[in-house]
Amino acid sequence: MIRESSSSFKKITQANLHKKPLIISGPCSAETEDQVIQTALQLKQTDYVDIFRAGIWKPRTRPGSFEGIGSAGLPWLQKARELTGLPLAVEVATSRQVEEALTHQIDILWIGARTTVNPFSVQEIADALKGVHIPVFIKNPIHPDLELWLGALERILKAGIEDTGLIHRGFSSYGNTLYRNPPMWHLAIEMKRRNPGIRMLNDPSHICGRREILLDISQTAADLGFDGLMIESHITPDTAWSDANQQVTPEKLKEILNEVIWRRENGTNGDSHETLQKLREQIDQLDDELLQILTARMKIADKIGAYKKENNITILQTKRWNDIMERALAKSEQLKLSKEFLIKYFDSVHMESINHQNKIMND
Ligand code: PEP
Ligand code: MN
């Protein structure tokens, strides 16, 4: 059995993988040979796409919907690669799927969000990949748990896979209507911080769940320094057998990608670094001052705590707290600080005061 892609394809895959921004696109699912081939040809024509993706085995949340065409679709992908020269990426969730994908010389594998949550499944995939040289991308788990994402990455690295990538596809949350999977950017940023050498893509399709807001999320990802996008595209999105609302035609994809501005860490201006440095010094100075002010504030909270202890007064004074919050929220516009931020800020200051006073009460 052939356990990896041919060497000429390995070279193309490597070259394409190292492009920034890296764009992976293709339909949510392979449906028919014609749909796969036509989508690949049109995506190639956009000149933006580096890697062609298609779901072969689809982990649907509920049974009864289309669960993927299965391995019958793999030869269609191979044909699409022959016609376009685009390396192929496929999602795998079991060791059998890994074997099937490798037998068909798929160039890149990815682990989906519903698989990343399960260490047994990830380990099974990792075991099936021992001794294989193939890039593997790992999507974040469906729920906001960084440890699971890290764990999956570690299992794949331990299997000896050298070329890995991460894909941020948002996290499920009950009852959210704006996004299908809210991005919770801070988690992707933290994952990036902890794994600086590993490329991080963003998957706006599964975050948005609807095509109207793809550009917005793609631009945010570009602004945050993501290395590229995995974005779904279909020749006739409205008739797609899965994820119809979030797919766009290759032509629309081109329009979106034409709009996204990719920024570099060092920018285009030669002396931008020095300018940034000066501004950052000012920020550091202000942060120091803020921290000193907070310390002074806590010292007063301590005095109040001592007084409450002596006079047997409860720590929590709801009315006083509501007054503080209302006073701050009323100034939100004038201060140019969002209400959301002010609530978070005062909540955490309040919590710290309570902890201080608790300590004093129980000393
Ligand atoms: C997909 O990429 O089509 C997919 C199933 O995505 P996710 O694992 O992010 O849900
Ligand atoms: Mn999909």
Side-chain angles (χ1 to χ4, degrees):
M1 184 199 312
I2 303 168
R3 304 268 308 173
E4 51 195 89
S5 53
S6 68
S7 70
S8 67
F9 256 94
K10 256 173 103 175
K11 270 190 214 131
I12 296 175
T13 308
Q14 279 308 323
N16 286 17
L17 268 176
H18 286 95
K19 274 174 65 186
K20 186 172 173 180
L22 172 67
I23 306 293
I24 303 179
S25 187
C28 177
S29 305
E31 298 163 5
T32 64
E33 179 167 351
D34 192 54
Q35 169 250 7
V36 166
I37 305 275
Q38 292 309 322
T39 308
L41 285 171
Q42 290 185 25
L43 283 174
K44 174 70 185 173
Q45 269 188 2
T46 65
D47 242 1
Y48 272 112
V49 177
D50 305 300
I51 291 158
F52 183 65
R53 65 149 277 162
I56 291 290
W57 302 280
K58 299 303 298 178
R60 307 314 296 171
T61 303
R62 312 248 325 254
S65 53
F66 175 59
E67 297 199 299
I69 203 74
S71 20
L74 291 168
W76 309 339
L77 295 190
Q78 290 176 296
K79 200 161 170 190
R81 177 174 57 194
E82 263 170 48
L83 292 170
T84 60
L86 292 173
L88 306 170
V90 161
E91 173 178 351
V92 287
T94 65
S95 55
R96 193 185 59 78
Q97 293 171 6
V98 170
E99 289 296 335
E100 294 266 12
L102 295 177
T103 308
H104 289 83
Q105 296 106 47
I106 296 304
D107 304 286
I108 296 153
L109 304 178
W110 89 81
I111 298 179
R114 288 165 193 75
T115 308
T116 308
V117 291
N118 185 343
F120 285 137
S121 301
V122 176
Q123 192 55 51
E124 180 184 320
I125 295 169
D127 290 341
L129 285 172
K130 283 218 174 90
V132 181
H133 297 287
I134 190 166
V136 178
F137 281 80
I138 304 163
K139 288 206 180 188
N140 67 254
I142 40 181
H143 51 277
D145 185 332
L146 213 58
E147 293 302 310
L148 275 174
W149 201 2
L150 282 164
L153 175 63
E154 280 163 18
R155 285 175 202 278
I156 294 301
L157 289 172
K158 271 195 177 165
I161 296 292
E162 284 158 12
D163 215 341
T164 53
L166 298 163
I167 304 175
H168 167 230
R169 51 77 80 194
F171 302 87
S172 53
S173 100
Y174 190 71
N176 191 290
T177 51
L178 183 55
Y179 301 108
R180 177 175 172 194
N181 293 293
M184 304 187 192
W185 292 104
H186 58 288
L187 291 177
I189 291 167
E190 178 58 14
M191 190 69 181
K192 239 162 87 74
R193 194 186 66 77
R194 293 208 209 169
N195 302 283
I198 298 186
R199 60 176 83 75
M200 166 82 78
L201 306 188
N202 176 262
D203 169 349
S205 306
H206 292 88
I207 289 177
C208 299
R210 54 194 172 100
R211 55 184 79 101
E212 296 75 18
I213 53 174
L214 290 171
L215 173 59
D216 232 33
I217 290 291
S218 305
Q219 186 59 59
T220 304
D223 293 342
L224 290 173
F226 278 62
D227 299 296
L229 303 172
M230 178 189 258
I231 184 162
E232 289 182 343
S233 179
H234 189 291
I235 34 164
T236 50
D238 287 329
T239 65
W241 298 0
S242 61
D243 289 353
N245 294 338
Q246 69 196 32
Q247 300 201 64
V248 287
T249 59
E251 197 187 340
K252 180 71 197 166
L253 178 79
K254 186 174 179 168
E255 267 175 51
I256 293 173
L257 295 177
N258 260 334
E259 295 272 320
V260 179
I261 300 165
W262 291 91
R263 305 179 206 280
R264 276 171 284 165
E265 219 161 288
N266 290 322
T268 40
N269 186 345
D271 71 359
S272 65
H273 195 66
E274 212 172 294
T275 314
L276 270 184
Q277 191 57 30
K278 278 192 195 130
L279 292 169
R280 283 177 177 157
E281 275 163 22
Q282 289 177 36
I283 293 262
D284 287 349
Q285 166 87 22
L286 287 171
D287 277 343
D288 285 347
E289 284 173 30
L290 273 173
L291 291 177
Q292 276 176 20
I293 292 173
L294 279 172
T295 303
R297 190 191 191 286
M298 288 307 153
K299 275 194 188 137
I300 298 176
D302 288 347
K303 280 188 193 160
I304 294 179
Y307 182 84
K308 284 176 179 168
K309 183 178 182 178
E310 256 166 50
N311 295 282
N312 245 345
I313 301 172
T314 56
I315 293 179
L316 189 61
Q317 299 279 323
T318 323
K319 161 126 191 18
R320 164 72 181 144
W321 186 243
N322 285 340
D323 289 347
I324 290 182
M325 198 66 105
E326 264 168 38
R327 209 164 69 90
L329 291 181
K331 287 190 206 157
S332 153
E333 228 162 87
Q334 177 201 339
L335 293 171
K336 295 198 168 33
L337 296 171
S338 71
K339 290 199 163 69
E340 197 190 3
F341 168 74
L342 287 172
I343 290 170
K344 270 196 212 147
Y345 167 76
F346 276 105
D347 266 344
S348 71
V349 168
H350 187 214
M351 217 40 237
E352 183 69 8
S353 285
I354 289 177
N355 290 342
H356 268 244
Q357 296 190 358
N358 238 328
K359 211 162 153 230
I360 287 170
M361 289 258 179
N362 298 306
D363 249 355

